[in-house]
Amino acid sequence: MIKVELLHVAGCANLEVTRALLQACLVEASVEAEVEDRVGAFPSPSVLVNGTDVMGPPEAGGAMCRLDIPTRECLLAALTS
């Protein structure tokens, strides 16, 4: 079973775009997984698949806006590996 987490800070400007892209990638990859939505002091938005950030570890930790938001290619690669 694949574990998928969507980590973000409250009010993240890129959250809904990332959420929609993640859902589309889950469908495209034929992966059935519930996405655990977590709000907190995270680099935002971050998508973890089985505990690994699909974009690689961010340069800084804690609550911050990410400039390297998850891409379709990175999401699909993580979901199908």
Side-chain angles (χ1 to χ4, degrees):
M1 182 77 173
I2 293 178
K3 180 178 180 180
V4 180
E5 299 169 86
L6 178 57
L7 313 179
H8 58 92
V9 295
C12 176
N14 293 313
L15 175 60
E16 292 311 317
V17 170
T18 301
R19 186 188 315 277
L21 179 60
L22 175 57
Q23 290 301 323
C25 289
L26 286 166
V27 170
E28 184 175 341
S30 299
V31 172
E32 290 186 30
E34 285 201 32
V35 177
E36 182 180 344
D37 195 291
R38 297 179 51 203
V39 180
F42 305 111
S44 181
S46 295
V47 176
L48 278 54
V49 175
N50 293 330
T52 301
D53 191 318
V54 301
M55 296 301 293
E59 290 185 23
M64 63 172 217
C65 290
R66 289 187 80 144
L67 299 177
D68 63 338
I69 62 173
T71 64
R72 178 182 174 274
E73 293 76 17
C74 289
L75 288 167
L76 288 173
L79 292 169
T80 59
S81 64

